[in-house]
Amino acid sequence: MAIQSQSTVSLPTLVTQSTQSLLNRRVTNEDSLYHICLTVKKRLEQLPQIKPYLNLAHTSSELLSEKQALLLSQQQQLNNQRHSNIGPGVGNLSNTNTNGTKSVGDRRISAISNGSFSDDLDLSNLTIEETVVTFSMGILPITMDCDPVTQLAHLFQQGSPLCIIFNAVKPQFKLPVVSSDDQKICKKSIYDFILACKRYFTFSDEELFTISDVYSNTTDHFIKVLDVVETLINSAPQVFPHIPFEELRWMNTDQGKIVREFVETERKYVYDMEILNQYRNQLLHRGIISSEELKMLFPNINDIIDFQRRFLISLEINGQVEANKQRIGALFMHSKHFFKLYEPWSIGQNAAIDFISSSFDKMQGSDFVIANKLELQSFLLKPVQRLCKYPLLLKELLQQSTSSANSKELELAWDISKSIARSINENQRRTENHEIVKKLYDRVVNWKGYRIAKFGELLYFDKVSISTGNANESDHDFEVYLFEKIIILFSEMVQKKVNSISLKKKASTTSSSTLHLSGSGNSNANSPGGPNDSKLDLRGRIMIVNLNKVNPMESRALNIIWESPKEHGNFILKFRNEETRDNWHNCLQTLLRQVRSESLKSSSSNSDRSSYSSTTYYPHNSMSSLTSNPNRRISDVLPRHQTHQSFENEYRSISESYRSSIPETTLLVRIAFQNDFYTVLVEINSGIDNLLSIIKRKLTHAGNISKIKYQDEDGDFVMLESEDDWNVVKDMLRESSERILNVWAFA
């Protein structure tokens, strides 16, 4: 029996084993819930008086299986009625069973998946037992009427079969056997059985189950009932003789061997997750770590185990039929959206590993099922490893498939499994990117007034070779970061090498650093900066809104073409491999589609485009000067800051002679107020209070001025009200060699 937290029948033997033996332990059909139920059913069939109840349980289980299959066949209609209660033709499926539980509720119907499932349907608030009416996922092979787990569950819900089992084991303490469709009478029989087990078998309350457990649709509760029943029949082998397991002959074929590997590795995975949950419950009961820490380490582990048990049951069922009758591909199609249960796990995995590294000392106990830090980390990695294993197994099955119908399902399943693996990797990448952004903030020596918080989410980063496509120009390496709103480039700053003599003679000057482009590849190309977190110099940027085309090229390259109202150009990124290039290409194409979609929705799309004219980008000649002289300042190679469109005419009217006449220590502040323009001169070294005072005096005739805003380099209008705001403005103007500041005043 696979170990789970609620069962205590086989727990003591596991606790005494070493963690390493748990990791390497081979899990067989004796640990499989499917085979345990199949064996228990066959042993119960040896008792003549229980056969009618087994037949009745088979009939009700078969009906549920048909209902589940019908629900799946109605999926297309459900997709068109995403939030409707029940699709056409299945209105009678929400009736109450004879046991009093709803076989198919509204939420159950709305969450069944067949691969064409509507992606915008929210499953986050649903659990497996609310959406699946049997103990197996998907639909059964055509030669299977029902699964043995659901059949036994319905057998126990009748109540009287439990009393028959008890009487066969303890005939001297016979219980009354009352057969009835009345659920109250069934529950009375279940209560009599529980009380007799407690009295005559010395079960503790923790080892027994409740009446509610019998009628529950969760695997945890079912296993509690099954453990007690199995203990009873094992105590009377003369009444319930052991049934040997028979190996299927077709499993020796090439496809059979792959299915066997699929099933056996899935058994092992479920077993390992149950061990991990057992360890979690030991931590919980001892109160060793907080509930928040438990949730971070083992997010929704109970839901995952419940789903994977049902998934395994379906795999086991398919393993019992010949290859051309299997529906393993359909199983993945039906389970597609339940794999979303793993999202919290994949997102928080790095944090969990870090927590274990720093806090495992307090997470130990002499009787804990896991007692080693490294092996706990190994257990925590298993979910992601398993999800990444599915595409490999499905690909092998697809290559061996001889049935066209099965091949199509397996091909769809393969695509689904690859999509799941990509999603998991994407979640982990996003989590890692958040940490990269935190480090990046400190690595950049001078942000030149740019605000990283306005870049959006970091999507990709890498060390990339950049050129303009000119054969006469050499390529140079940059660390390139792709955010939702901007592509930004950095060069690495390193200590200038000097000999020992210069160190002695010029000790006062050797501490200065010189900008240069790294000529060698990064040892960790996917983690710019590597372990030393070297300092970076900001060299250039281009706003996503100014991109025109993104075209893949040979030699792992990507040609990025940009266009603004006044200029246009291109630059070429050369990546380490085609996969990285394709990831960037797909991501940039998605961002471009979003930008264009937003532009179409906006009635003022043209003015919106011009509002981004303050963004900087690499025109062809600017890239040339950057790559030919990597030590130049960013202000030397990038176009100067362009003002807002409302200032453009007046900006042109200022002559170069007047502009050059502005004292070096002074800024010309131009104020836009109620469609008029005003100018004042302000000392660069003056404080914010002096600036605001001068502006307000200039506009005394207009009354009280409540707000002053400026336009930053991202085109956003920012309040100018603190000394920090004023320092950012001065840095921005200094780096762009600008002597004119445009502000907007509001009464």
Side-chain angles (χ1 to χ4, degrees):
M1 183 76 181
I3 301 304
Q4 30 72 43
S5 59
Q6 288 79 4
S7 172
T8 57
V9 176
S10 53
L11 174 61
T13 58
L14 272 180
V15 174
T16 60
Q17 300 179 31
S18 69
T19 308
Q20 187 61 46
S21 66
L22 289 177
L23 281 170
N24 297 328
R25 182 185 185 276
R26 184 174 180 269
V27 180
T28 67
N29 52 29
E30 295 180 356
D31 304 287
S32 160
L33 179 59
Y34 170 84
H35 282 287
I36 290 173
C37 289
L38 196 62
T39 301
V40 168
K41 183 173 77 75
K42 290 179 178 179
R43 294 176 72 181
L44 291 176
E45 288 173 347
Q46 306 301 310
L47 206 60
Q49 55 266 48
I50 211 170
K51 284 186 177 181
Y53 299 97
L54 277 169
N55 293 335
L56 183 61
H58 182 279
T59 300
S60 60
S61 300
E62 185 180 12
L63 179 61
L64 276 187
S65 297
E66 291 175 354
K67 287 180 178 180
Q68 189 160 304
L70 181 59
L71 288 175
L72 294 171
S73 70
Q74 297 293 329
Q75 188 55 53
Q76 188 59 46
Q77 296 179 26
L78 293 174
N79 286 340
N80 298 332
Q81 308 171 41
R82 192 160 44 90
H83 294 295
S84 61
N85 290 337
I86 300 178
V90 289
N92 63 337
L93 297 187
S94 60
N95 298 330
T96 303
N97 294 336
T98 56
N99 60 20
T101 61
K102 294 191 72 176
S103 63
V104 183
D106 295 345
R107 288 180 297 175
R108 289 175 182 162
I109 295 176
S110 64
I112 299 292
S113 168
N114 73 344
S116 59
F117 195 86
S118 177
D119 286 332
D120 53 356
L121 183 56
D122 182 15
L123 297 176
S124 58
N125 296 322
L126 298 177
T127 57
I128 294 294
E129 64 269 15
E130 291 175 313
T131 56
V132 179
V133 298
T134 72
F135 280 100
S136 62
M137 297 296 301
I139 61 176
L140 300 174
I142 193 170
T143 54
M144 290 288 187
D145 297 327
C146 67
D147 68 270
V149 185
T150 303
Q151 184 180 356
L152 282 189
H154 281 262
L155 177 70
F156 301 150
Q157 288 169 6
Q158 296 175 48
S160 50
L162 292 174
C163 295
I164 293 174
I165 294 171
F166 180 87
N167 293 342
V169 177
K170 293 284 188 181
Q172 65 273 36
F173 305 110
K174 281 193 175 182
L175 299 175
V177 177
V178 182
S179 301
S180 175
D181 292 335
D182 189 335
Q183 193 177 86
K184 291 182 178 179
I185 297 176
C186 295
K187 289 183 176 180
K188 176 61 170 59
S189 296
I190 295 171
Y191 175 78
D192 290 341
F193 174 81
I194 294 172
L195 195 63
C197 287
K198 188 174 182 180
R199 179 179 301 173
Y200 301 113
F201 277 91
T202 65
F203 279 100
S204 66
D205 290 336
E206 291 76 17
E207 293 170 325
L208 285 169
F209 55 85
T210 66
I211 295 176
S212 297
D213 291 337
V214 178
Y215 292 99
S216 171
N217 192 33
T218 69
T219 55
D220 269 345
H221 293 149
F222 172 77
I223 288 174
K224 290 178 67 175
V225 181
L226 182 63
D227 276 349
V228 174
V229 172
E230 193 179 16
T231 300
L232 261 65
I233 65 177
N234 286 340
S235 67
Q238 69 283 2
V239 180
F240 303 101
H242 179 70
I243 304 295
F245 173 75
E246 296 182 5
E247 187 74 30
L248 298 174
R249 284 180 294 178
W250 79 267
M251 295 285 274
N252 292 323
T253 65
D254 290 339
Q255 183 167 351
K257 292 176 182 178
I258 299 172
V259 173
R260 180 192 290 114
E261 179 188 0
F262 210 144
V263 170
E264 289 179 350
T265 54
E266 188 71 19
R267 288 174 186 166
K268 174 60 175 171
Y269 171 59
V270 172
Y271 175 86
D272 288 340
M273 291 300 290
E274 290 171 337
I275 292 295
L276 190 59
N277 195 37
Q278 190 176 350
Y279 175 74
R280 171 195 174 275
N281 288 326
Q282 289 175 323
L283 292 175
L284 175 65
H285 296 152
R286 304 285 178 87
I288 292 178
I289 59 178
S290 67
S291 57
E292 291 79 11
E293 291 167 336
L294 277 172
K295 187 175 181 180
M296 179 267 295
L297 285 173
F298 316 100
N300 61 8
I301 188 172
N302 288 310
D303 292 335
I304 287 176
I305 291 175
D306 191 44
F307 162 66
Q308 293 293 165
R309 283 172 177 157
R310 297 171 191 265
F311 187 84
L312 174 58
I313 289 169
S314 295
L315 271 181
E316 301 264 21
I317 293 172
N318 278 279
Q320 302 303 302
V321 300
E322 295 180 0
N324 60 347
K325 299 177 182 178
Q326 292 173 0
R327 303 297 304 277
I328 294 178
L331 172 59
F332 275 86
M333 294 162 60
H334 302 148
S335 303
K336 173 181 176 181
H337 286 271
F338 293 116
F339 284 109
K340 290 184 179 180
L341 289 167
Y342 284 94
E343 286 185 358
W345 199 281
S346 61
I347 291 172
Q349 188 171 82
N350 290 339
I353 298 299
D354 291 342
F355 178 80
I356 292 171
S357 298
S358 61
S359 306
F360 185 77
D361 289 344
K362 66 179 182 180
M363 299 166 60
Q364 301 181 70
S366 58
D367 59 342
F368 278 12
V369 67
I370 299 176
N372 181 284
K373 180 193 301 185
L374 294 178
E375 286 160 356
L376 174 57
Q377 292 176 347
S378 296
F379 274 105
L380 290 176
L381 292 171
K382 287 184 178 295
V384 171
Q385 292 172 342
R386 186 58 184 169
L387 293 182
C388 293
K389 178 71 172 176
Y390 287 142
L392 302 177
L393 292 168
L394 287 169
K395 183 179 180 180
E396 291 182 4
L397 273 180
L398 182 59
Q399 292 171 341
Q400 293 293 331
S401 176
T402 57
S403 167
S404 58
N406 285 356
S407 295
K408 186 173 182 180
E409 287 184 349
L410 286 171
E411 188 172 353
L412 289 172
W414 186 37
D415 289 338
I416 290 170
S417 67
K418 288 187 293 184
S419 175
I420 292 167
R422 283 195 301 267
S423 177
I424 293 299
N425 291 332
E426 179 70 11
N427 289 335
Q428 291 188 316
R429 185 184 61 79
R430 285 188 168 190
T431 303
E432 293 170 357
N433 283 355
H434 285 300
E435 297 301 318
I436 292 295
V437 171
K438 292 178 183 178
K439 293 181 179 180
L440 181 64
Y441 185 82
D442 294 324
R443 292 182 64 203
V444 178
V445 174
N446 185 357
W447 280 99
K448 307 182 190 313
Y450 306 159
R451 299 185 180 184
I452 195 171
K454 294 185 177 181
F455 295 167
E457 183 181 350
L458 175 62
L459 303 175
Y460 285 100
F461 63 93
D462 211 333
K463 177 165 284 189
V464 178
S465 178
I466 298 183
S467 72
T468 62
N470 190 331
N472 296 325
E473 298 173 1
S474 59
D475 299 349
H476 289 278
D477 289 343
F478 290 89
E479 289 191 14
V480 184
Y481 290 75
L482 171 58
F483 290 85
E484 288 178 306
K485 298 180 180 179
I486 191 173
I487 303 172
I488 192 162
L489 289 78
F490 303 94
S491 62
E492 185 177 343
M493 299 177 63
V494 297
Q495 191 78 17
K496 185 177 181 181
K497 294 183 178 181
V498 294
N499 57 37
S500 59
I501 297 178
S502 62
L503 285 172
K504 295 177 181 178
K505 292 183 177 180
K506 300 180 180 180
S508 61
T509 61
T510 53
S511 60
S512 61
S513 296
T514 302
L515 301 181
H516 85 294
L517 288 175
S518 174
S520 61
N522 196 322
S523 59
N524 189 358
N526 214 19
S527 301
N532 59 355
D533 289 336
S534 59
K535 295 298 183 181
L536 299 176
D537 178 32
L538 194 156
R539 303 303 302 278
R541 66 191 178 105
I542 178 170
M543 300 299 295
I544 299 299
V545 73
N546 280 338
L547 297 185
N548 190 341
K549 293 182 180 179
V550 181
N551 298 324
M553 303 173 62
E554 295 180 356
S555 302
R556 312 178 302 278
L558 199 62
N559 186 22
I560 296 180
I561 304 172
W562 58 266
E563 181 180 4
S564 74
K566 293 184 178 181
E567 298 180 272
H568 61 87
N570 78 298
F571 57 97
I572 298 172
L573 306 181
K574 296 181 180 179
F575 296 92
R576 294 172 293 111
N577 52 59
E578 290 185 358
E579 181 181 2
T580 303
R581 189 266 317 271
D582 292 343
N583 288 337
W584 280 66
H585 177 241
N586 293 334
C587 184
L588 284 167
Q589 291 285 41
T590 299
L591 294 175
L592 276 175
R593 285 193 295 269
Q594 292 173 353
V595 168
R596 290 166 182 167
S597 175
E598 291 171 1
S599 297
L600 290 174
K601 292 178 182 178
S602 173
S603 60
S604 58
S605 58
N606 291 332
S607 60
D608 288 343
R609 182 81 173 185
S610 65
S611 70
Y612 281 92
S613 60
S614 63
T615 62
T616 33
Y617 39 77
Y618 280 116
H620 189 85
N621 57 352
S622 297
M623 175 58 72
S624 175
S625 60
L626 176 64
T627 54
S628 61
N629 187 356
N631 292 332
R632 296 189 64 183
R633 293 167 57 83
I634 187 171
S635 58
D636 297 328
V637 297
L638 295 183
R640 292 191 175 187
H641 173 75
Q642 298 178 2
T643 57
H644 190 265
Q645 192 69 27
S646 63
F647 273 115
E648 189 165 348
N649 291 334
E650 181 168 339
Y651 185 82
R652 290 172 180 168
S653 67
I654 298 176
S655 66
E656 287 301 320
S657 60
Y658 179 78
R659 182 188 301 274
S660 62
S661 68
I662 301 174
E664 292 184 1
T665 60
T666 306
L667 293 176
L668 175 66
V669 180
R670 297 189 301 159
I671 311 158
F673 180 72
Q674 295 181 349
N675 297 322
D676 289 323
F677 295 96
Y678 306 85
T679 60
V680 295
L681 291 174
V682 178
E683 290 292 326
I684 294 178
N685 294 329
S686 62
I688 184 65
D689 292 337
N690 183 54
L691 170 68
L692 297 178
S693 176
I694 292 174
I695 293 175
K696 290 177 180 179
R697 280 202 307 269
K698 186 71 174 181
L699 301 176
T700 301
H701 66 281
N704 293 328
I705 300 300
S706 61
K707 297 178 182 177
I708 302 293
K709 291 186 177 182
Y710 74 97
Q711 190 178 24
D712 69 6
E713 294 191 347
D714 291 331
D716 297 326
F717 292 92
V718 182
M719 288 288 293
L720 185 56
E721 56 186 355
S722 69
E723 203 66 45
D724 288 340
D725 296 332
W726 182 224
N727 289 333
V728 169
V729 170
K730 289 189 286 188
D731 286 342
M732 178 182 71
L733 296 176
R734 186 181 302 112
E735 293 302 330
S736 61
S737 299
E738 186 58 76
R739 305 294 300 283
I740 300 173
L741 172 65
N742 302 295
V743 300
W744 285 257
F746 303 89

